[in-house]
Structure formats: C-alpha cells, structure tokens
Amino acid sequence: MARELPARFGITPHAARRLANRQIAIGGAMALVGAGVSAAGIGSVAAGVPFGMAGALLIAIGLRARSIGVAVQVVNKAYNLAASGQREDAAELLDYAEATCRSRYVLRVIDVQRALAAMQRGDLAGALARADAAVTRRTDPLSFHLEHATIAAARSLRALLRASTSDRDGAAADIEFVRTSALASPEVLARAELAAAVLLERSGDREALRAHLLRERGLLVEHTRPRERALVRAYQRMLKAKASSVYRTGAKREPEAGGELSAADWAARISPDAAPFMRAPAMAAGGVEELSRAEVDRADASARAAAEGRAGSNRQPVTKAARRVLLLWVALVMLFLGVWQLLSSDRAPPVAPEVERLPAEPIFGPLSIVLALPIIFIVMLVGAVLVNMARARKLSQRFMAAQVAVAKGEEQRGKGELEALTRSMVPAAAAQAHLALAELSERQGELPAALAACEAGLARLGTAAARAMAADILLPALLAERAFLFAAMDRRADARAEMALLAERYASYPFLERARMRVALALRAREGDIAGAARITERDADLPLNARDELLADVCRAAASPGAAGAGEVERLREELRLDAASRRWLSAVAPAALAAFERLREQGDAEALAGAEALAETEALAEAEALAERAGVRPPDAGAA
C-alpha cells in the first residue's frame, strides 16, 4: 500500500516527531561513542557495551514514538471520516494502519472501530468477531492504562452485541466487567448500561426496564451516541405505550438488507420490539460538510492573527525550561570532571619517613566512572518509564472516577476531584481536568467560567513537549471547546478563526467534524438564522453529538418547520424543556434566539386552538339554530342570499 496515503488525506507529520528524532539522534551519538571506546581499546572491547545499550534503548524509544504517532493520526482521521459519512475513505485508512502498524494498542483501537462500523451496517456477527479480537488481543505493557481503557470499551460494545443476539450470560459478564473497571469512561459505562436495558427488554420485564432507565438516566441520555440515545428514547415511548391503552403501537419494522442501516432499521437488529418507537428525523445525505466548513472557515486576517496570538500566548517560554536543563547538565559535567581529577591525581599523600608503604590504587578509577555513567542512565531511564506508567494509571483512574461521579449526578464530588487534578504536576493530567471542568461549566450555561477553564488548560500545555504529547486529542479538544464558546458568546470572528486554525494544524483530530458542526450550529442559532441552522443538521452521518447539541438541532428543525417535525416531536421537545431545567438553561445561554423561536410555536398553537374553538362553537350554534327552526317549521334564511 502506498506510503503517500496519509498525506493524501491531509495528515501532516506528528507534533511529537521532532522529539522522537531528537531521541534517535542522542541514542545514535551514544552508540557511536560506545563503538569508538571499544575500537580504541580503552580498557577492553566490552568497555563500549554500556554506551551501546543506552544508545540502542533511546533509538528504540524514538522509533516507537514515530511509528505510533503516524498510526494514531491515521486511526483518528478514519474515525472522523466515518462519523461524517465518508465510510469508504475511513475503511481505506484503517486498512493502511492495519498493514503498517505493529502496535498492539493501535490494532486494538482498529478492532473497536471496525466493530462499530459493522454494527452500524447491521452485521452483528462481523461486529462480534471484531469485538472479540479487541478483547483477546495481547496487551502492550508500555501503554497499560490506555490498553485497559480500550479493553473496557471493547467489552461494552461486545456486551451490546451479545445482548442483541440473546447471549445473556456473555452479555452479563461483559457488563459486570465494565461496571467494575476503574478505567471505564462514562461513554463506555453508558453503552454497558444500554446493553443491560436490551437484556431487560428482551426478557419482558417492563418494570425492571423502567426502573433501570430511571436509575441510569444520566448516563443513558448524556453519554450515549445519537443512535443509542434514540434507542433509549424508544424504550421510554414503548413503556408509555404499554401503560396506556389509547397509545397507538407501531408495526414492527423489518430491517433492510445490506448497506448502511437507518436508525430504525438498526434498532430492529439490536432490539426489534423497540424499533416501531424509534423517531429519528429524516436526514438528507450530503451537503452539510460544505455548509459547516463554509460557516466556520471564513476567518478574516485580523481574527486569524488574534487566534495565532492566543495559540502563542499559551506557550511558556522555552528558554526557562532550556536554562534549567542546561544548568543541570553543566552541574553534572563539573561534578564528573571534579571526581575524575580527584581520582586521577598523581600526588600521593605525605607519609612518615620511618614507615615504608606500598602505593595504594584507587578502588574506582576514571574508566570505571565512564563505564558506570551509561549504566546509571539506563537504570534511571527504565525507572522513569515505570514510574510514569504507574503515575499515568493512577491519574487516569482518578480522572475517570471524577467523570463517572459527575455523570451519575454526584457533581460536587466529581468537580472537587477535577479541581484537585488541575494542580497535578503532570501537565496533560491538569489540562484534561481543566477541559472536563470547562465542559461541566458549559453544560450548566456558565460560559465565561467555561472559557476561563479552557484558557487554564491551554496554559498547562505551555511547553513544546507537553503540546506535542497532547496533539492527538487533548490539545485540539481544548481549542474546539474554546471555539464553540466563542460562537456561543457572540465572538463570531474569533470562533471562525479558531476553527480555521484547528482544521489546519490538527487535521487528524478525531472529532473535527463534530466541532465544525457545533460551531456552525451555534453561529447560525445565535444570529437568529433558525432555517439555516436546521439545514446544517440535515445529514445521514452519525456524528457523536451530545444530548444538548442534539436538542439544539431538534429545536431548530421544529421551529423552522413544525409541520415536517410533527406534533408528536414538538410535544416531546416541550416536555423535555419543561422537565430538564439544565438543558433549558444551556439552550437559553447558547442559543436564546432558537429557544424563542420554538416558544413562539406554543403561542401560535394556542392562537390556532382558540380560533378553532371559536369556529367550532359558531358552527355548533348555527347547527342548533337550524334544528330549532326546522322543528318550528320555519325555513332558515339562505346563506347565499344578499
């Protein structure tokens, strides 16, 4: 397969490539020193072995970083393409990654993506085979916490697939594994709880299903993908239909054979009894990508310069960090030279003339110190890797626990833990906690607080090394959130410039199209162009929008064309805005014009209902008068007479 494939899809060299090249260069230099020492015969041929070992270790680390960096970019780009409807291109990129990458972690992620794609096509057997491969693949000890988080994701997906194929025991085992995993994200837990709901529905225990949906509502509504969320709502409608004799039950749908399944046909494969209650809006294929790009990429020169200035202002001065490293190396070199001079001195200590002694040889000579340095370096490097792995796992567990606490309604406890994580000495962990706090503040409608949290997170990624390590997801996620907040706060030029910069520098960001959609939708809704916002949301792709974005899209569609949405959909949205105060508060903060346009539907509906009632009363009065006249033998006047 052509090596030019990543470039054809706009994938540029990874931000960490320069650091990896530096490691390879240092390792090569150390290996050359070892070869020179051995060739010169200083001490023995084995004298250069420690240098060669240290150099080889650094070269291996650098090469691994380069290889994984490219593979991660390709896989992330494939995810973004699949979510935006370009599934053939996504499959081509996954084929390339699978053929060129040997990292077990990346291959496991590819298995999960292919399982998701197969499930969306309705190929449950193929999806289950890929999910099994993701679960059983050997783990990579150098990326332990990432591996186990991906395994939890694979098992949640396998639980849903097993539940849909009536493998109750296998599904229950996977659900229990995910529930007890310390590295399962809210999204992973939500899919596992959806699998539990499918098991309850298939068992016919409606009361248990009702209780489960109520208990896990925060996870099932907030942290599921759009199709999965639509299935949850279908269950809610189904339970309402079973409880009411006047509710009309729809006919079961037979899924279409082959191709990409619609939401209802997908539900027919996962949970046939719920399929008649699916209410996914009819989406038009194509065009939305161009609409959203045109909306967010119109950045003028001044706004673009301001965006680049913000990107630069978040970086800490490199000279400060470089100065510390330089001083440390100078101190080590001076210490080494001092010890060398002390141990290699030819001057013997004074002795008494009457005592004759043999000359003493030093226990540690200069050559011993030279040989010990690379060994010490290897030990320190391996120790640092092990310590970092343990620390990364612990921080990941704390972060996931905080996220799950927020998702399950324990916001104060989760927020307190996130605030504690912002003080971490690890820049990526602190920045990730700031991003979670920004998303939490945004969800509560506190846009200035969310923007401040974004800025704080970007500031923690101030060094070149920190930004390079966070370039795949964390850094562009902070930029995408900031762009959305700019759009929601009427800073339109800044939002467009931020998105243009994001698309240019982080083309392989896996949620790029979702970010474009969110910003474009917020821009149109803030401007009062409700019809334009509705057109942006008309698509057949499966972007992982959250529940609030989906609510905004539904409100815009209903306000722009209530007849097309239907009375049932309008009533559903009214009920959701009445019961969910947090979503209403978010909508009033982000898109007040869209909320006002939707509220006018009620006024229009009330006016139409009043006019209809008056017309009905007038008709009934006229009919009664005619009946009285007929009984009295009096012919009523001709309505057509002058």
Side-chain angles (χ1 to χ4, degrees):
M1 189 173 295
R3 291 280 176 177
E4 298 80 15
L5 185 67
R8 179 158 65 85
F9 284 95
I11 299 175
T12 57
H14 197 278
R17 186 182 181 90
R18 182 177 299 177
L19 295 176
N21 290 340
R22 190 180 305 168
Q23 289 176 328
I24 293 171
I26 295 174
M30 295 186 70
L32 289 175
V33 169
V37 169
S38 298
I42 302 176
S44 66
V45 175
V49 172
F51 283 97
M53 291 174 59
L57 182 60
L58 278 177
I59 292 173
I61 293 174
L63 290 174
R64 184 178 187 275
R66 283 184 52 167
S67 174
I68 290 182
V70 174
V72 167
Q73 285 181 295
V74 170
V75 171
N76 286 348
K77 183 70 174 181
Y79 181 90
N80 186 51
L81 291 174
S84 58
Q86 304 174 62
R87 296 178 181 88
E88 292 183 1
D89 291 339
E92 186 178 3
L93 281 174
L94 290 179
D95 289 340
Y96 171 85
E98 217 164 7
T100 58
C101 180
R102 292 295 174 266
S103 168
R104 290 193 288 269
Y105 163 63
V106 175
L107 293 174
R108 194 187 309 276
V109 173
I110 293 173
D111 287 332
V112 173
Q113 286 200 25
R114 289 200 186 276
L116 281 170
M119 184 177 69
Q120 288 181 255
R121 295 193 305 269
D123 180 10
L124 301 188
L128 191 55
R130 275 293 188 170
D132 284 334
V135 172
T136 58
R137 192 181 291 276
R138 290 175 55 197
T139 59
D140 187 344
L142 295 179
S143 53
F144 181 85
H145 65 291
L146 297 175
E147 289 272 31
H148 282 258
T150 309
I151 290 172
R155 294 197 69 160
S156 71
L157 180 58
R158 191 172 70 174
L160 182 58
L161 292 166
R162 284 176 164 177
S164 63
T165 54
S166 300
D167 182 3
R168 298 187 57 83
D169 294 338
D174 284 334
I175 292 169
E176 184 61 25
F177 177 90
V178 174
R179 284 173 174 171
T180 58
S181 173
L183 292 171
S185 67
E187 291 78 10
V188 171
L189 281 171
R191 184 174 287 125
E193 297 302 342
L194 178 60
V198 173
L199 287 178
L200 291 172
E201 186 275 323
R202 284 178 171 263
S203 70
D205 192 343
R206 296 291 187 260
E207 289 305 316
L209 176 60
R210 191 190 313 276
H212 178 74
L213 295 178
L214 183 62
R215 183 175 59 253
E216 303 297 341
R217 185 181 184 280
L219 281 171
L220 291 172
V221 173
E222 180 66 28
H223 295 283
T224 46
R225 295 170 66 95
R227 289 192 178 193
E228 296 167 350
R229 193 180 305 126
L231 181 58
V232 172
R233 288 172 175 160
Y235 281 150
Q236 294 170 340
R237 296 187 192 99
M238 182 181 69
L239 292 172
K240 183 178 180 181
K242 296 296 182 182
S244 174
S245 60
V246 298
Y247 194 99
R248 178 176 294 179
T249 302
K252 289 187 179 181
R253 294 179 57 96
E254 289 298 328
E256 298 175 359
E260 191 73 21
L261 297 181
S262 66
D265 290 335
W266 174 82
R269 298 289 178 91
I270 301 298
S271 184
D273 286 346
F277 302 93
M278 291 285 286
R279 290 185 184 175
M283 302 293 189
V288 69
E289 185 177 345
E290 289 73 16
L291 277 172
S292 58
R293 284 184 176 178
E295 191 66 38
V296 302
D297 290 350
R298 296 184 314 215
D300 55 49
S302 60
R304 176 61 183 263
E308 291 178 348
R310 284 191 298 270
S313 65
N314 290 317
R315 298 183 181 181
Q316 299 173 358
V318 180
T319 54
K320 185 176 181 181
R323 192 182 302 116
R324 291 179 179 175
V325 175
L326 180 61
L327 289 175
L328 177 62
W329 276 106
V330 169
L332 289 174
V333 170
M334 295 298 294
L335 178 63
F336 171 72
L337 292 177
V339 174
W340 180 290
Q341 182 66 24
L342 177 64
L343 296 179
S344 62
S345 175
D346 293 329
R347 294 181 299 173
V351 296
E354 68 277 4
V355 179
E356 183 178 356
R357 296 182 179 178
L358 294 175
E361 296 183 358
I363 299 176
F364 300 104
L367 183 59
S368 301
I369 295 178
V370 172
L371 297 178
L373 283 178
I375 297 176
I376 295 173
F377 174 79
I378 294 174
V379 172
M380 292 179 62
L381 184 61
V382 172
V385 169
L386 294 176
V387 169
N388 285 335
M389 287 172 56
R391 182 168 58 178
R393 183 181 183 185
K394 183 178 180 180
L395 290 172
S396 296
Q397 290 175 343
R398 289 180 59 189
F399 178 76
M400 289 301 180
Q403 288 281 75
V404 170
V406 171
K408 291 192 172 184
E410 303 176 22
E411 288 192 359
Q412 291 303 318
R413 182 170 70 87
K415 187 176 181 181
E417 181 65 10
L418 289 173
E419 289 173 347
L421 285 171
T422 60
R423 298 186 289 272
S424 171
M425 296 299 293
V426 180
Q432 192 173 40
H434 279 299
L435 174 60
L437 288 172
E439 293 171 344
L440 180 59
S441 296
E442 180 223 306
R443 190 174 73 181
Q444 296 169 343
E446 301 171 357
L447 304 186
L451 183 58
C454 276
E455 299 290 357
L458 290 167
R460 290 304 305 267
L461 300 176
T463 64
R467 296 174 80 85
M469 298 306 295
D472 292 316
I473 294 180
L474 177 56
L475 178 55
L478 282 163
L479 296 175
E481 179 67 15
R482 185 165 69 174
F484 175 79
L485 293 170
F486 283 157
M489 298 171 71
D490 287 324
R491 295 174 60 174
R492 297 177 179 85
D494 288 335
R496 294 188 178 102
E498 199 83 2
M499 280 304 305
L501 202 64
L502 177 66
E504 177 184 313
R505 296 186 178 180
Y506 303 98
S508 59
Y509 175 49
F511 306 108
L512 180 59
E513 290 305 322
R514 182 185 70 178
R516 279 196 175 107
M517 169 68 78
R518 296 190 76 216
V519 172
L521 188 59
L523 286 172
R524 290 287 182 97
R526 293 289 298 191
E527 293 170 355
D529 184 5
I530 308 304
R535 285 195 303 272
I536 289 176
T537 64
E538 292 174 354
R539 59 183 307 136
D540 66 343
D542 193 27
L543 284 179
L545 298 175
N546 61 44
R548 294 173 304 284
D549 298 329
E550 193 176 55
L551 175 63
L552 175 56
D554 291 342
V555 164
C556 288
R557 280 195 295 266
S561 181
E569 176 68 3
V570 172
E571 286 303 318
R572 179 189 73 82
L573 292 172
R574 284 177 178 171
E575 184 178 6
E576 187 167 345
L577 290 173
R578 180 175 59 84
L579 297 177
D580 193 343
S583 294
R584 185 182 183 88
R585 184 168 58 249
W586 178 87
L587 196 60
S588 63
V590 170
L595 181 60
F598 181 77
E599 292 292 343
R600 283 195 292 271
L601 292 180
R602 177 180 292 275
E603 299 173 3
Q604 295 172 1
D606 292 343
E608 292 173 359
L610 179 61
E614 292 175 349
L616 180 61
E618 184 178 351
T619 302
E620 290 176 349
L622 182 60
E624 184 178 357
E626 290 178 350
L628 288 173
E630 184 177 356
R631 285 196 297 270
V634 180
R635 183 178 181 275
D638 188 357

